[in-house]
Amino acid sequence: SAFYMGFAFLAALLLVYMVMASQFESLLEPFVILFSVPLSVIGVAVSLFLAGKTLSLTALIGVVMLTGIVVNNAIVLIDYLKQHWDRHWDTLIDVAVEAGQTRLRPILMTTLTTVLAMIPLALGIGEGSEVWAPMALAVIGGLLSSMALTLVVVPAWYVLIAGFLARRRDRRAARAAAESAAE
């Protein structure tokens, strides 16, 4: 059972990556965005530990669900960064800070509405809900940790990777211009 859930998790990661790669027409942005998924697993572990629950099959279903849910916040940040970055390294950091400030409210609203909707299920309110409580706890913890960490880690990763690639591209262009001028 856990093997199949692990397989489902990997399949979900791959499918989410493929959809984002086709939407962004890039391999870099989806990679950076998918980095928000491991950040959610931190919250899953903490929430299940605090509630005294184990990593059950229903909690693993919540982890698979998080694969598609937590990337939304990172997509919002990276999309903003892509639209507002004019390819200058020193302004990329400024744009990353601005992205976090500007997108904070929508990210908080979407995360908190989902978390609040899951609270009755996490508390075990209703008939049969105790079976699904670990899933709700996993989703709540994963969303909260991912939200908090995504606002810092994803823009930082994007700045590091995109800045590195831009500097490398600029060096290649300068080298090619120098070689063509020497000929």
Side-chain angles (χ1 to χ4, degrees):
S1 235
F3 170 77
Y4 292 113
M5 290 310 296
F7 182 75
F9 178 73
L10 291 176
L13 279 175
L14 180 64
L15 291 170
V16 167
Y17 182 83
M18 289 172 25
V19 167
M20 287 189 301
S22 67
Q23 284 300 114
F24 279 109
E25 296 178 356
S26 166
L27 300 176
L28 170 68
E29 285 86 8
F31 172 74
V32 173
I33 290 168
L34 278 181
F35 196 77
S36 62
V37 175
L39 301 176
S40 70
V41 175
I42 296 167
V44 171
V46 170
S47 66
L48 290 174
F49 175 76
L50 291 176
K53 303 282 185 189
T54 60
L55 188 62
S56 62
L57 183 60
T58 54
L60 289 173
I61 291 170
V63 172
V64 172
M65 287 173 48
L66 281 169
T67 305
I69 297 172
V70 299
V71 297
N72 294 332
N73 293 339
I75 288 170
V76 167
L77 284 170
I78 297 300
D79 189 49
Y80 187 92
L81 277 164
K82 280 188 66 167
Q83 289 178 8
H84 293 87
W85 180 37
D86 61 357
R87 304 284 182 211
H88 292 88
W89 167 249
D90 54 349
T91 60
L92 179 58
I93 294 171
D94 296 334
V95 172
V97 170
E98 182 183 327
Q101 293 170 345
T102 306
R103 306 289 42 183
L104 176 63
R105 186 173 179 203
I107 287 172
L108 278 173
M109 287 174 33
T110 57
T111 300
L112 292 177
T113 54
T114 306
V115 165
L116 293 173
M118 289 291 215
I119 287 176
L121 191 58
L123 294 175
I125 298 173
E127 191 174 326
S129 62
E130 63 275 350
V131 173
W132 295 105
M135 180 195 69
L137 287 166
V139 170
I140 289 170
L143 277 173
L144 290 175
S145 71
S146 177
M147 175 195 64
L149 295 170
T150 295
L151 286 166
V152 176
V153 175
V154 170
W157 265 107
Y158 187 80
V159 165
L160 288 173
I161 293 172
F164 170 77
L165 292 175
R167 286 192 308 272
R168 195 170 103 193
R169 192 173 25 247
D170 292 346
R171 274 188 251 129
R172 278 189 192 153
R175 195 172 28 241
E179 288 173 3
S180 66
E183 293 175 359

